[in-house]
Amino acid sequence: MKKFSCIAIDDEPLALLVITQFCERFGNLDLSTFSEPRIGLEEIKRHKPDLVFLDIEMNSINGLDIAHALPRECCFIFTTAHAQYALNGFDLDAVDFLHKPFAYERFKKAVEKAIRRIETEKVPENIVIKQEYANVTIPINDILYIEAMENYTKIFRENGGYILSRTNMKTIQEILPEENFLRIHRSYIVPIEKIEMFSKKKIKLIGKEIFLPIGRLYANHIYDTLISRNSRHIFPNS
């Protein structure tokens, strides 16, 4: 059975204990809890869990502010004693709003709803590209980078080979999962997880002596995006 990673943020230890017990009872939920909201938010940005349980009125920061700062793909459920925030929760596209104290059956219903959304929005594992007169299936995690040439697009693969296709870059970019790939130049698209080092002018691919240029018009967006994912390294003197 697939496990779903979860993070719960609440400044009340008893509330975190209840969520922990309910997650254990539900099964296949791998939960981490944080009573310090800012630390919890940093962990969410670093590990990108499948589901977040989020209190609203906390001492150091409001849960609504945390919700605004969550990664776009993050699925979250508000858990609060303050029913007046329900409308705010749905405006922020929360999966559900659990009003404390809530029973296990109500918790179960909210989690099942979240899992349905997660499964619906799941990133595709493959893309299909036309090569000459055939369709070629390429695993997403096998794409090293993509380069536009005069009348072709070249998709370089982890195994050292490549696919040559007449499908243009714009079309390929549209079928790739947006949260996993970056257009760094008119001529290059790169999987974010394959970037080891970067500056505003170039990126280096993990484990490869491959350096790709960053287009001037893309530089600030690329730099800000990669800075927010602090597992990447900045080139010295960049």
Side-chain angles (χ1 to χ4, degrees), residues 7-234:
I7 284 180
I9 300 177
D10 199 310
D11 60 357
E12 297 179 7
L14 183 58
L16 291 176
L17 177 61
V18 170
I19 292 173
T20 299
Q21 291 173 340
F22 283 0
C23 284
E24 290 173 353
R25 182 174 171 183
F26 187 92
N28 71 302
L29 300 178
D30 187 7
L31 178 70
S32 299
T33 62
F34 296 90
S35 57
E36 173 45 60
R38 296 183 192 280
I39 295 175
L41 178 58
E42 287 305 310
E43 288 300 302
I44 290 168
K45 289 181 176 179
R46 185 174 298 114
H47 296 294
K48 293 184 170 52
D50 296 309
L51 178 60
V52 173
F53 299 99
L54 184 59
D55 188 18
I56 293 182
E57 285 203 356
M58 295 179 281
N59 290 329
S60 59
I61 186 172
N62 189 287
L64 297 174
D65 294 329
I66 293 180
H68 278 291
L70 292 175
R72 185 178 60 83
E73 67 276 14
C74 194
C75 211
F76 64 97
I77 294 170
F78 279 123
T79 60
T80 179
H82 303 280
Q84 69 267 26
Y85 291 114
L87 185 58
N88 302 82
F90 291 112
D91 285 344
L92 287 166
D93 200 27
V95 173
D96 211 334
F97 186 96
L98 294 178
H99 185 209
K100 296 176 183 175
F102 46 85
Y104 172 73
E105 287 305 318
R106 181 68 184 86
F107 172 88
K108 179 173 178 284
K109 183 179 178 181
V111 171
E112 288 172 343
K113 183 178 177 183
I115 289 174
R116 286 195 297 272
R117 181 185 290 191
I118 292 165
E119 295 289 358
T120 301
E121 297 177 353
K122 189 166 58 176
V123 174
E125 296 181 356
N126 306 291
I127 61 170
V128 177
I129 295 293
K130 185 172 286 295
Q131 184 181 38
E132 296 297 337
Y133 300 103
N135 289 326
V136 179
T137 299
I138 307 173
I140 292 286
N141 60 11
D142 191 37
I143 298 174
L144 184 60
Y145 67 97
I146 301 168
E147 180 180 5
M149 312 191 80
E150 280 192 15
N151 298 311
Y152 294 90
T153 301
K154 211 170 187 178
I155 303 173
F156 290 86
R157 307 180 69 167
E158 280 283 358
N159 63 16
Y162 62 83
I163 300 293
L164 201 59
S165 173
R166 287 189 179 273
T167 307
N168 62 42
M169 284 287 266
K170 183 176 184 295
T171 301
I172 291 177
Q173 186 175 8
E174 288 172 353
I175 63 176
L176 289 168
E178 182 183 357
E179 64 273 20
N180 292 28
F181 286 81
L182 279 175
R183 182 82 175 261
I184 64 168
H185 189 281
R186 285 183 61 199
S187 300
Y188 294 101
I189 296 174
V190 181
I192 296 176
E193 67 174 14
K194 304 288 173 68
I195 297 173
E196 180 177 12
M197 301 184 74
F198 67 95
S199 70
K200 286 191 176 181
K201 295 183 178 179
K202 62 183 177 180
I203 61 104
K204 178 185 181 297
L205 299 180
I206 289 177
K208 312 279 185 183
E209 287 302 309
I210 297 176
F211 298 83
L212 301 175
I214 294 175
R216 182 173 55 84
L217 295 177
Y218 300 83
N220 288 336
H221 170 67
I222 300 303
Y223 193 82
D224 291 344
T225 299
L226 295 178
I227 280 287
S228 71
R229 302 188 178 213
N230 51 16
S231 58
R232 273 73 186 172
H233 301 289
I234 304 173

